[in-house]
């Protein structure tokens, strides 16, 4: 039967604890994009400053009860949008539902994110290798949803010097990493120029985490 075949092809292990779910967000892509429009009309995308004083090439906003921020004083989760001094827009229930489903398929049942970082990459924007480690409890996985232009995701090991795999991510793909892979180094190579029919000249990424 088709579904099994399709499931087999759609699911790709990257490492122990890390899975790529091909096209998993496609059935709800237009809902996700409309919600991102609404959220970013309230808390706009902005290019934040790293503790080292560099402006990031990726523009970011958040939804959820807390949002990831960086400035000269460090990386952290904040309950308010520092640009507006208001709470972040609420996380749409469909966002949390998608992230919970993906996590369950990757072997992490019961994932209930409180933070959704929304990244906007324009051509040339990149994210250098890093670990996600500003969260309180590493037993919760990270769920990452790709929309728009394709990108090369670097997925490495637990040491910065571990040579990362290059994983092409396309519109609708979801990557989940947790358990033994929770602190894997990862990043995104400079976005190649192009135009996506629904998203335009951009890549959008949703990163779901349980921060608190
Ligand atoms: C992230 O590491 O926060 C985002 C990764 C991505 O944009 O795919
Ligand atoms: Fe990350």
């Amino acid at each position: 039967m088709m579904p099994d075949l399709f499931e087999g092809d759609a699911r790709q292990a990257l490492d122990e604890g890390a899975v790529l779910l091909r096209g998993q967000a496609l059935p709800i892509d237009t809902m996700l994009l409309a919600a991102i429009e609404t959220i970013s009309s309230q808390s706009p995308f902005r290019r934040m400053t790293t503790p080292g004083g560099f402006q990031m090439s990726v523009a970011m906003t958040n939804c959820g009860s807390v949002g990831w921020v960086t400035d000269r004083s460090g990386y952290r989760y904040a309950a308010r949008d520092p640009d507006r001094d208001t709470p972040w827009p609420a996380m749409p229930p469909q966002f949390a539902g998608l992230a919970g489903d993906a996590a369950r398929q990757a072997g992490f049942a019961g994932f209930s994110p409180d933070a959704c970082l929304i990244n906007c990459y324009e051509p040339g924007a990149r994210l250098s290798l890093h670990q996600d480690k500003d969260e309180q409890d590493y037993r919760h996985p990270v769920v990452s949803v790709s929309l728009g232009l394709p990108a090369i995701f670097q997925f490495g090991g637990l040491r910065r010097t571990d040579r990362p795999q290059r994983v092409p991510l396309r519109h609708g793909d979801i990557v989940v990493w947790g358990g033994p892979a929770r602190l894997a180094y990862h990043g995104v190579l400079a976005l190649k120029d192009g135009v996506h029919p629904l998203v335009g000249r951009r890549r959008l990424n949703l990163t779901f985490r349980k921060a608190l």
Side-chain angles (χ1 to χ4, degrees):
M1 261 266 290
M2 269 312 277
D4 285 315
L5 237 167
F6 181 73
E7 276 253 29
D9 290 338
R11 194 192 160 86
Q12 187 182 321
L14 299 179
D15 207 338
E16 205 184 325
V19 182
L20 165 57
L21 302 166
R22 285 274 180 218
Q24 193 78 22
L26 280 177
I28 58 167
D29 62 350
T30 53
M31 184 278 296
L32 296 172
L33 292 168
I36 293 169
E37 281 309 309
T38 304
I39 291 161
S40 62
S41 73
Q42 294 162 1
S43 276
F45 286 111
R46 80 292 306 263
R47 290 171 57 197
M48 299 188 216
T49 302
T50 66
F54 295 99
Q55 190 180 33
M56 299 185 76
S57 59
V58 180
M60 300 177 168
T61 186
N62 290 276
C63 64
S65 53
V66 288
W68 186 85
V69 296
T70 174
D71 59 22
R72 287 306 299 241
S73 67
Y75 306 127
R76 64 191 171 279
Y77 283 92
R80 298 175 81 77
D81 175 347
D83 281 12
R84 298 195 314 148
D85 197 26
T86 56
W88 296 103
M91 191 186 305
Q94 303 96 318
F95 278 35
L98 178 71
D101 282 352
R104 186 174 36 71
Q105 288 180 54
F108 305 100
F111 178 55
S112 173
D114 54 11
C116 174
L117 173 67
I118 309 175
N119 290 162
C120 179
Y121 298 74
E122 292 189 351
R126 60 188 289 274
L127 196 60
S128 53
L129 276 183
H130 65 279
Q131 294 169 295
D132 287 7
K133 53 178 187 184
D134 302 317
E135 299 74 31
Q136 281 177 7
D137 186 342
Y138 299 147
R139 284 175 301 185
H140 303 292
V142 178
V143 176
S144 166
V145 180
S146 292
L147 296 167
L149 289 176
I152 304 291
F153 183 57
Q154 295 178 292
F155 194 77
L158 301 180
R159 290 167 308 190
R160 189 183 288 280
T161 51
D162 292 335
R163 192 183 171 80
Q165 309 177 50
R166 291 179 168 213
V167 184
L169 293 183
R170 297 184 292 256
H171 180 77
D173 289 349
I174 302 185
V175 183
V176 181
W177 62 98
R182 176 61 179 76
L183 291 176
Y185 277 88
H186 59 281
V188 178
L189 297 184
L191 193 77
K192 271 184 59 180
D193 202 356
V195 179
H196 185 276
L198 293 179
V199 185
R201 219 171 153 219
R202 299 178 295 167
R203 171 177 185 262
L204 299 170
N205 175 266
L206 304 173
T207 310
F208 294 95
R209 307 187 191 93
K210 175 128 178 68
L212 305 183

